[in-house]
Every structure is written in structure tokens, then in C-alpha cells.
Amino acid sequence: MKRNSRLSAVLHALLHMAERDRPMTSEELATCLHTNPVVVRRTMAGLRETGLVTSVRGHGGGWTLARALEDVSMRDIYAALGEPMLFQMGNVSESPGCLVEQAVNHALDDAFRDAEAMLIARLGEVTLATLADDFKRRFAEHRATLKQLG
Amino acid sequence: MKRNSRLSAVLHALLHMAERDRPMTSEELATCLHTNPVVVRRTMAGLRETGLVTSVRGHGGGWTLARALEDVSMRDIYAALGEPMLFQMGNVSESPGCLVEQAVNHALDDAFRDAEAMLIARLGEVTLATLADDFKRRFAEHRATLKQLG
DNA sequence: TTTTCATGTAATAATAATAGTTACGAATAG
DNA sequence: CTATTCGTAACTATTATTATTACATGAAAA
């Protein structure tokens, strides 16, 4: 399974896209995310398959957010990324022979499964709209600070 | 920070040690864990520093569990391993510049921190004694199955 | 229609984290 | 003194991820 470091990158990208009224190119997004256009395309291609974004080729093309901010939760994005492994543990469920190992795996699996369920539920509670609001709040605060400093 | 794949390996090792009345050599443990004696020594060295195990060099030496099974929780072992990162996310808390990123990181950090707290609490509830009991149960079951088959 | 811009994608290289190996030193029992 | 076993440094191998290169495809503009 794939890694998860992209969840935050994708959120970052989608929010930037939401702030603009025309498509963003892979190049622009790559600059934004401090990465490479091809990596952006690879990642966004997955999101396109689940209808989160659309892409247009050629002059004036790029990537566009396809759904309303309120309708996209962090969980949706996690799912669109293929529900990558959240934990740093190679699936413990190997070498079925040793009974000691079976007992260990069972206990660990239980704990990790519960934590994962909680985390995923939590991701479902936060939408892109939530994040956009938080961003706006930070932005207003930032401007207030600048003003205060002169 | 280090990886977490060792938590299950260490539990496995400690339970095997608990079943024996003399030290286990790194070589024996390595066989048990399908790995290498040097890797075993490296890992166990960390546990020795927190008093979970002792080592004796030379003839008849090896590794011994230093505490009662009831007194060692999975959380203790997690701590002895240096509280390695549990999640597959490079700490999101970089590039403080972009306010969009700040909003994203804040939301993700919140969710992950809570899930981690829950998981760690859960690890604290399971001791080596719990696991040893579960192993014994499985062992009895296994013997019953064998008997039934002839 | 030709040029330019942009995505689509395969193939390859670079990077980084982890695990495994080799080699040898130090301690201890017999 | 010898065999055994941990302690550790240095090096190699493996694996996963990310980055890069190269080129094909499609679409708008000149």
C-alpha cells in the first residue's frame, strides 16, 4: 500500500485550487507544494477517478475542484487516495505458525484497528469548508498583526 | 525517529524469554524472529537501558526478562523503544509560511494526536501476562484440535 | 495548420529508511 | 586458555518513496 504523506499535500492543493476561479496547472501546484509537476499529476489522477477534481489539457487547462467545499471531507480524500495504511507497522498478520506470535498479533491488531476507526471517523468530521474557514480566520489574524506593527 | 515494526517483534521475543528459565542467546532469538543476532542485540540493548531485560556475556549468557509479566505493559515496551512514530506521516509541522498549510496541519495534527493518545492508552491496558495467557489458551486449543484429529 | 501549452504515462534515477552482514573487541564460564 | 556470547562500528543490501526525463496526446491560439 501507498504512503500517507500525501494526505496533507492533497488538502493543501485542493484548498489552493478552491481559492481560484480558473484551473491551476500541475506546475503551479508543484511550486505550491514544493514538489514536481509529474508527482502532482500522478496524485491528482487518483482524485479524478473518484470525481473530486477534473483536469483539462492544453492551453488554459489544469486542475479544478469538482465538488463544493462542504461536500468533501478529509475522509473522502483519504478514501480517494486508496485508503493508504495509516500506521507504521507492516501488517503484522504474517507467519501464522507461532502461537506466541498469533497472540501478539491479535492484541496489536485489535488496538490498531480501533485507533484507525476513530481516526477515520474524525477525518469524516472535517470538510474542506472547515479548513477554508480556518484559513480565512488565520488570514484575518495575520493582517491584523501586520496592521498593528505599522 | 525509528520505525515501529519492532514492537511486535519485541513482544514476541519477550514472551519466548518468559517461557524459559535460562537466558536466551541472541542467536536463538534471531532464529525465533526470523532475523539476525546483531539486530536482536541492537534492539534489546534499548530495552536493557530501561530495565526491562538484562544481558549476560560469555558462556551460558544471553538475555533474560527482568520484570514480572504483570508489570510490563505494551506501552512500557513502546516507551522503551523510544516512543517511535506510530503514524505514516512525516511530521506535518514544516514550512510555517503558508497559512493554508497551517490550517491543514492544525486539523490533521489534532486528529492524529487524539488517535495516538487513544492507542497508547490502549497499549497500557495489555500486559505481557495478558498475552501469555492468550498464548496458553491458544496452545490448549491447538492440542485439543490435534487430539480430535487422531 | 502550425505552434504552444498542458496533461498522461512509462521508464529510469535519486534518496532515504530499514534491515542485514561482517568483523573484531570484551567479558565470562569451564 | 579456550569456547561462548554480548557490544559495537562499519559497511552492504533491500525497499519504498519521490524526483526526473522523455515523449505522446489533446486543446486552444496565432
Side-chain angles (χ1 to χ4, degrees):
Chain A
M1 277 209 177
K2 314 155 215 164
R3 259 187 93 147
N4 190 24
S5 44
R6 280 174 301 172
L7 180 53
S8 89
V10 167
L11 288 166
H12 190 178
L14 295 180
L15 287 173
H16 273 291
M17 286 161 59
E19 303 259 310
R20 315 214 338 190
D21 52 353
R22 54 171 190 181
M24 278 186 85
T25 68
S26 304
E27 196 102 31
E28 290 168 323
L29 285 169
T31 303
C32 213
L33 306 181
H34 308 294
T35 180
N36 177 297
V38 178
V39 174
V40 170
R41 288 186 203 121
R42 279 203 287 250
T43 304
M44 301 298 275
L47 300 195
R48 185 183 46 214
E49 286 173 19
T50 61
L52 281 175
V53 299
T54 55
S55 65
V56 173
R57 302 212 262 200
H59 210 115
W63 300 91
T64 313
L65 189 55
R67 281 161 51 183
L69 292 180
E70 302 78 34
D71 289 343
V72 184
S73 71
M74 301 207 297
R75 177 175 183 167
D76 294 329
I77 296 161
Y78 167 72
L81 289 173
E83 310 203 336
M85 193 90 80
L86 290 171
F87 298 104
Q88 285 223 348
M89 303 198 51
N91 259 343
V92 190
S93 328
E94 304 170 67
S95 48
C98 178
L99 292 175
V100 169
E101 202 162 12
Q102 283 182 22
V104 169
N105 287 354
H106 181 256
L108 284 177
D109 279 350
D110 258 22
F112 277 78
R113 194 165 34 243
D114 288 355
E116 185 175 54
M118 174 192 160
L119 181 48
I120 289 179
R122 184 72 174 273
L123 295 179
E125 290 167 9
V126 181
T127 68
L128 289 181
T130 321
L131 296 176
D133 285 350
D134 190 30
F135 160 68
K136 278 169 204 147
R137 193 181 53 68
R138 286 168 194 273
F139 187 59
E141 215 167 76
H142 179 242
R143 287 209 307 192
T145 306
L146 284 186
K147 202 169 185 179
Q148 200 170 22
L149 291 174
Chain B
M1 277 210 177
K2 314 156 213 165
R3 257 187 94 144
N4 189 25
S5 47
R6 280 176 302 174
L7 180 54
S8 87
V10 167
L11 287 167
H12 191 176
L14 295 180
L15 286 172
H16 273 291
M17 287 161 58
E19 302 258 309
R20 312 212 343 188
D21 52 352
R22 54 169 190 183
M24 278 185 85
T25 67
S26 304
E27 196 102 30
E28 289 169 322
L29 285 170
T31 302
C32 215
L33 306 181
H34 309 292
T35 179
N36 177 295
V38 179
V39 175
V40 170
R41 288 187 203 119
R42 280 204 286 246
T43 304
M44 300 298 274
L47 300 195
R48 186 183 46 214
E49 285 172 18
T50 59
L52 281 175
V53 299
T54 55
S55 65
V56 172
R57 301 212 263 200
H59 211 115
W63 300 92
T64 312
L65 190 56
R67 281 160 53 181
L69 292 180
E70 303 78 35
D71 290 343
V72 184
S73 71
M74 302 206 296
R75 178 177 182 165
D76 294 329
I77 296 161
Y78 167 72
L81 289 173
E83 310 202 338
M85 193 90 81
L86 290 173
F87 297 104
Q88 286 224 350
M89 306 197 49
N91 258 344
V92 191
S93 328
E94 305 169 66
S95 48
C98 177
L99 291 176
V100 169
E101 201 162 13
Q102 282 181 21
V104 169
N105 286 354
H106 181 256
L108 284 177
D109 279 351
D110 257 23
F112 277 79
R113 195 166 31 245
D114 288 355
E116 185 175 54
M118 175 194 160
L119 181 49
I120 290 178
R122 184 73 175 272
L123 294 179
E125 290 168 8
V126 181
T127 67
L128 290 182
T130 320
L131 296 175
D133 285 350
D134 189 31
F135 159 68
K136 278 169 203 146
R137 193 182 53 69
R138 285 167 195 273
F139 188 59
E141 216 167 76
H142 180 241
R143 286 208 308 189
T145 306
L146 285 185
K147 205 169 182 178
Q148 202 170 19
L149 291 175

